[in-house]
Amino acid sequence: GAGVSQTPSNKVTEKGKYVELRCDPISGHTALYWYRQSLGQGPEFLIYFQGTGAADDSGLPNDRFFAVRPEGSVSTLKIQRTERGDSAVYLCASSSASGRIGGELFFGEGSRLTVL
Amino acid sequence: GENVEQHPSTLSVQEGDSAVIKCTYSDSASNYFPWYKQELGKRPQLIIDIRSNVGEKKDQRIAVTLNKTAKHFSLHITETQPEDSAVYFCAANGDKLSFGAGTTVTVRA
């Protein structure tokens, strides 16, 4: 079907607020990744799901960040008590291959988060 | 974890010339090395990849080479065209896919 879909495409919020970012991967892709990209930087790894479980969450910067993928498809990245430093583009990607095997990641258009 | 370093950070070439981007990685267990192209305001898209059992791979004007011993790999673009202008990222799959910081390529007409 369609490619990776992310919503919202843009989110402006105030410092201290709670934010949810949604990712709808390509149907059938078991691997799902969240990355964060700041201007002029490469994608920074946050968390990787294989199926419903978080196979690697070592990139989450602190306990304000949390992500779920309850049914092995759609994933939600949740950010509590947002800070100005959280402002970035949050990219979601899915793949039919697991991390260690390696395969093409299909990226969404990203959710641009701005914390005022 | 995997650490990927990429250089140069910016590269300006005359149309028709070649462009070369180099990356190094730290995890000797990495076995998959993709290159992504990201145009301004767009999502990253895979342009070529190479696995550790191969030393070189070519696809039209794009080629990638891999030196496992030295833990470095390179992207070569020949006969550059204006549409090659973009940011290019290398990556390596240690325990997860880690990206370099990117190279902004500008092709001058």
mmCIF file of all heavy atoms in Angstrom, chain B residues 16 29 65 95 98-99 104 108:
data_model
loop_
_atom_site.group_PDB
_atom_site.id
_atom_site.type_symbol
_atom_site.label_atom_id
_atom_site.label_comp_id
_atom_site.label_asym_id
_atom_site.label_seq_id
_atom_site.Cartn_x
_atom_site.Cartn_y
_atom_site.Cartn_z
ATOM 1 N N GLY B 16 29.522 17.545 -14.085
ATOM 2 C CA GLY B 16 30.321 16.654 -14.926
ATOM 3 C C GLY B 16 31.516 16.046 -14.206
ATOM 4 O O GLY B 16 32.052 15.015 -14.647
ATOM 5 N N ALA B 29 31.432 -5.811 13.705
ATOM 6 C CA ALA B 29 30.347 -6.740 13.383
ATOM 7 C C ALA B 29 29.360 -6.160 12.372
ATOM 8 O O ALA B 29 28.486 -6.876 11.882
ATOM 9 C CB ALA B 29 29.608 -7.128 14.660
ATOM 10 N N THR B 65 32.341 1.592 -2.380
ATOM 11 C CA THR B 65 33.431 0.670 -2.088
ATOM 12 C C THR B 65 33.503 0.456 -0.591
ATOM 13 O O THR B 65 33.164 1.345 0.197
ATOM 14 C CB THR B 65 34.777 1.219 -2.601
ATOM 15 O OG1 THR B 65 35.028 2.491 -1.980
ATOM 16 C CG2 THR B 65 34.758 1.398 -4.107
ATOM 17 N N ASP B 95 24.386 -2.659 16.145
ATOM 18 C CA ASP B 95 23.184 -3.301 16.676
ATOM 19 C C ASP B 95 21.918 -2.601 16.192
ATOM 20 O O ASP B 95 20.822 -3.097 16.390
ATOM 21 C CB ASP B 95 23.242 -3.360 18.205
ATOM 22 C CG ASP B 95 23.730 -2.062 18.801
ATOM 23 O OD1 ASP B 95 23.983 -1.112 18.041
ATOM 24 O OD2 ASP B 95 23.862 -1.999 20.027
ATOM 25 N N SER B 98 23.001 3.169 12.335
ATOM 26 C CA SER B 98 23.503 4.461 12.793
ATOM 27 C C SER B 98 23.980 5.260 11.594
ATOM 28 O O SER B 98 24.663 4.716 10.717
ATOM 29 C CB SER B 98 24.659 4.270 13.774
ATOM 30 O OG SER B 98 24.225 3.562 14.918
ATOM 31 N N PHE B 99 23.671 6.559 11.595
ATOM 32 C CA PHE B 99 23.966 7.414 10.455
ATOM 33 C C PHE B 99 25.145 8.337 10.723
ATOM 34 O O PHE B 99 25.385 8.745 11.866
ATOM 35 C CB PHE B 99 22.742 8.284 10.120
ATOM 36 C CG PHE B 99 21.631 7.540 9.452
ATOM 37 C CD1 PHE B 99 20.727 6.790 10.201
ATOM 38 C CD2 PHE B 99 21.474 7.581 8.075
ATOM 39 C CE1 PHE B 99 19.694 6.096 9.581
ATOM 40 C CE2 PHE B 99 20.445 6.892 7.451
ATOM 41 C CZ PHE B 99 19.558 6.148 8.207
ATOM 42 N N THR B 104 26.741 17.742 2.498
ATOM 43 C CA THR B 104 25.942 18.569 1.595
ATOM 44 C C THR B 104 26.696 18.715 0.285
ATOM 45 O O THR B 104 27.783 19.313 0.254
ATOM 46 C CB THR B 104 25.674 19.951 2.205
ATOM 47 O OG1 THR B 104 24.974 19.778 3.443
ATOM 48 C CG2 THR B 104 24.835 20.796 1.261
ATOM 49 N N ARG B 108 27.676 22.604 -9.253
ATOM 50 C CA ARG B 108 27.657 23.919 -9.915
ATOM 51 C C ARG B 108 27.487 23.731 -11.414
ATOM 52 O O ARG B 108 28.205 22.954 -12.024
ATOM 53 C CB ARG B 108 28.936 24.684 -9.624
ATOM 54 C CG ARG B 108 29.285 24.816 -8.143
ATOM 55 C CD ARG B 108 30.488 25.727 -7.950
ATOM 56 N NE ARG B 108 31.646 25.314 -8.728
ATOM 57 C CZ ARG B 108 32.562 24.447 -8.330
ATOM 58 N NH1 ARG B 108 32.457 23.871 -7.142
ATOM 59 N NH2 ARG B 108 33.607 24.135 -9.100
#
